[in-house]
Amino acid sequence: MNIDDKRKVKIGLAEMLKGGVIMDVTNAEQAKIAEDAGAAAVMALERVPADIRKDGGVARMADPRKIEEIKQAVTIPVMAKCRIGHFAEAQILQAMEVDFIDESEVLTPADEANHVEKDQFTVPFVCGCRNLGEALRRIGEGAAMIRTKGEAGSGNIVEAVRHMRLVHGSIKRLTVLTPEELMAEAKELRAPFELVKWVAKNGKLPVPNFAAGGIATPADASLMMQLGAESVFVGSGIFKSEDPAPRARAIVQATTHYLDFGKLAEISKGLGEAMVGLEIRDIPENELLQVR
Amino acid sequence: MARTTTIGVLALQGAFDLHRKALARLGVDYRLVKTAADFAVVDALIIPGGETTTMRWFLKNENLTDDLVRFVNEKPVMGTCAGMILLAKKVAGDIVDDGLGVIDIDVRRNAYGRQVHSHTGEGRIDLGEGPRSFPMVFIRAPRIERVGRDVQILGTCDDEPTMVAAGNVLVMSFHPELSGSDAVHEYFIQTFVKQFDSELPRTPAGGISQ
């Protein structure tokens, strides 16, 4: 396959995942709970972000045996996280035939200057972003899907909202700039010029744009979908809540029926305690995951 | 006065947005279908690709299976990838199950393996104007393993059937919505939806002899 066909196939899977919920799981049992609750894919990782935040230490790619067990347990696509810039972890995950790799700020970065050169891989990548420039840099490296970073493991939606609004605000701005203003804007965004021109012309990102980082309730999912997310990732929000299965089901339904407010009221009833959230201002600057 | 024909796109999960855009480009009325009430106001249905497991979950948990079965037994329906799996008779692979049996084919889910085996291919289709090449995109794709006697083969890739039709049902293992061409959607509208509207005989035009 040439590079265009390879990209088409990678972005194709991202298109297939739209409107579905991708859930963080740490073992086969959780993966099964996620699949039975209607998840469209699972994300295999060693610890959910809330625990990474709590325990500290270096967070790495999950144990390949765990990933293997998760792959055995479900028929839906299995994603896994690698550290930013850790192309060897990515190569191992590709050899294991995971369906998607999340080059994720939730894990401890392996390279503070460079991300993985994603076009070289057959497996598609998703990357986090806080703004349009970051999104376009990742797409320039070959990401087939973009998600907001939000603030993982916080149970607080405020950062994901900020990032989604920033991305869409900047896209809107590009569509009204004149052609001669685009180069300066590309410089401002620190984004590849060709991609800036593409977004200015099409008014959207060239890959699907999902929400992640702080989604804990069906209402959070609806909020992000209404802000323009094409689907949602739920990390700690499910397995750090009081009763994971009903909450997982409710978030799946909320993502599909995000504009049916009567239904949202119905499915939000009696889900038990959501995960305990964190006030972003109370997180020390050096413990924020999104700045990675 | 007859109302305009509206084509529904099942939008529980999956690539429904790309199908909606194809219909918009072709200038036909469309509506996303998410509830039982939506089925009542559409004249035809496209079931997109996506996760079969998730779509089935919605059909079961939101009690939509009966509405869908009633609809696809009567009205024009097009299914791509996961949509084809839902409409098939027998499903093999990582899930062994019966589909809705609306078209007499057996399929194997994820027949080529996981995402790293997703691929493109130069297929051939015959939409009534003679065989021609058509770019086909396969994403964690199913394979059509058995084609019933009354099922017509309209598309192939590497000598395997990839698009088949019978009666009111058109299904394919590839993704026409990712091909950069609206030819398959247009064919569905012209040959299935319009023909059905005027109650002409429902044998699709075209076909590739085996």
Side-chain angles (χ1 to χ4, degrees):
Chain A
M1 280 190 290
N2 61 35
I3 185 97
D4 287 342
D5 280 349
K6 256 174 102 174
R7 279 204 158 203
K8 199 178 267 188
V9 163
K10 292 179 187 180
I11 296 171
L13 181 58
E15 291 285 347
M16 298 309 134
L17 291 168
K18 279 187 182 175
V21 178
I22 300 154
M23 301 183 190
D24 276 3
V25 297
T26 57
N27 56 45
E29 187 196 357
Q30 288 185 352
K32 197 71 201 132
I33 291 172
E35 183 175 64
D36 289 346
V42 290
M43 172 78 71
L45 75 175
E46 204 154 47
R47 294 172 282 169
V48 294
D51 287 336
I52 291 173
R53 187 179 288 289
K54 197 170 72 187
D55 303 345
V58 173
R60 309 179 180 92
M61 170 185 85
D63 179 345
R65 175 166 295 160
K66 285 269 183 223
I67 297 172
E68 203 58 53
E69 285 168 7
I70 289 166
K71 277 171 61 192
Q72 296 295 326
V74 296
T75 67
I76 54 178
V78 174
M79 302 185 168
K81 287 185 193 290
C82 76
R83 284 178 264 178
I84 288 174
H86 205 314
F87 52 84
E89 282 188 349
Q91 287 158 340
I92 291 168
L93 292 172
Q94 172 163 283
M96 293 188 67
E97 300 198 352
V98 303
D99 295 293
F100 233 105
I101 296 176
D102 185 358
E103 187 182 17
S104 178
E105 71 284 1
V106 168
L107 306 186
T108 310
D111 188 328
E112 291 183 336
N114 308 294
H115 278 67
V116 173
E117 196 345 43
K118 292 168 273 287
D119 266 334
Q120 290 184 12
F121 285 77
T122 307
V123 64
F125 279 75
V126 52
C127 288
C129 77
R130 285 166 300 167
N131 53 51
L132 182 60
E134 201 171 10
L136 295 181
R137 288 196 294 279
R138 298 295 85 80
I139 294 167
E141 294 156 357
M145 182 199 285
I146 288 297
R147 55 170 176 76
T148 57
K149 283 183 171 174
E151 185 57 30
S154 71
N156 189 338
I157 199 69
V158 66
E159 295 301 300
V161 169
R162 185 195 320 280
H163 301 158
M164 191 57 80
R165 282 200 187 275
L166 266 171
V167 168
H168 283 286
S170 302
I171 290 175
K172 269 185 228 152
R173 181 179 151 74
L174 280 185
T175 62
V176 296
L177 291 181
T178 57
E180 61 270 24
E181 290 171 316
L182 289 178
M183 184 58 90
E185 188 68 8
K187 187 178 161 204
E188 191 67 28
L189 291 168
R190 293 187 294 133
F193 183 49
E194 289 306 314
L195 286 172
V196 168
K197 280 197 290 189
W198 194 96
V199 173
K201 184 168 164 232
N202 293 279
K204 65 182 202 70
L205 290 180
V207 303
N209 183 18
F210 287 20
I215 293 155
T217 68
D220 288 345
S222 169
L223 177 67
M224 294 313 298
M225 293 296 284
Q226 291 188 62
L227 287 173
E230 294 172 295
S231 201
V232 299
F233 287 78
V234 190
S236 319
I238 289 171
F239 290 103
K240 283 288 155 189
S241 72
E242 185 188 350
D243 196 357
R247 182 166 297 269
R249 283 197 293 272
I251 292 176
V252 166
Q253 287 181 291
T255 303
T256 293
H257 301 291
Y258 67 95
L259 289 175
D260 187 339
F261 310 116
K263 197 163 200 151
L264 288 170
E266 210 46 53
I267 61 182
S268 300
K269 284 178 185 164
L271 296 178
E273 288 291 321
M275 72 178 281
V276 179
L278 293 171
E279 166 63 55
I280 303 296
R281 272 186 295 261
D282 294 342
I283 305 174
E285 189 87 23
N286 63 351
E287 287 178 20
L288 284 174
L289 300 175
Q290 59 177 285
V291 297
R292 290 170 162 181
Chain B
M1 199 178 78
R3 69 185 176 87
T4 331
T5 301
T6 303
I7 299 180
V9 183
L10 194 65
L12 299 171
Q13 191 276 321
F16 50 85
D17 198 46
L18 291 176
H19 289 285
R20 179 187 67 77
K21 284 176 180 150
L23 297 175
R25 281 192 298 271
L26 293 168
V28 292
D29 264 21
Y30 59 85
R31 183 191 177 100
L32 296 182
V33 172
K34 296 188 181 194
T35 65
D38 294 330
F39 281 108
V41 292
V42 297
D43 307 290
L45 188 68
I46 295 176
I47 307 179
E51 279 311 306
T52 330
T53 314
T54 309
M55 286 190 211
R56 285 185 167 184
W57 185 89
F58 270 100
L59 292 173
K60 181 165 167 263
N61 279 273
E62 302 195 339
N63 299 316
L64 294 171
T65 310
D66 290 348
D67 296 281
L68 179 68
V69 168
R70 211 173 304 132
F71 191 94
V72 298
N73 274 311
E74 291 172 1
K75 305 266 178 72
V77 57
M78 168 170 142
T80 64
C81 195
M84 176 179 86
I85 297 172
L86 285 179
L87 295 167
K89 195 165 235 171
K90 281 210 171 68
V91 181
D94 51 8
I95 285 184
V96 178
D97 203 352
D98 287 341
L100 297 176
V102 189
I103 182 163
D104 185 20
I105 57 169
D106 295 346
V107 301
R108 178 171 296 270
R109 201 169 171 261
N110 293 346
Y112 304 89
R114 309 187 73 94
Q115 171 64 12
V116 290
H117 303 289
S118 291
H119 58 284
T120 55
E122 198 57 40
R124 292 189 74 70
I125 55 172
D126 187 348
L127 304 179
E129 294 158 345
R132 64 180 174 101
S133 73
F134 192 83
M136 295 182 180
V137 184
F138 301 93
I139 309 285
R140 283 173 48 105
R143 177 186 268 144
I144 301 171
E145 293 196 317
R146 186 190 62 84
V147 175
R149 253 196 10 212
D150 299 325
V151 176
Q152 203 166 2
I153 297 173
L154 300 178
T156 59
C157 191
D158 298 328
D159 297 325
E160 288 182 14
T162 54
M163 178 158 78
V164 300
N168 59 320
V169 183
L170 171 69
V171 295
M172 62 224 71
S173 56
F174 62 93
H175 290 280
E177 78 282 10
L178 295 173
S179 67
S181 158
D182 294 330
V184 172
H185 290 84
E186 198 170 6
Y187 174 73
F188 175 62
I189 294 163
Q190 294 300 336
T191 309
F192 286 73
V193 182
K194 292 215 169 138
Q195 186 161 299
F196 195 82
D197 274 359
S198 57
E199 290 179 35
L200 287 167
R202 290 193 282 138
T203 312
I208 292 169
S209 53
Q210 271 177 297

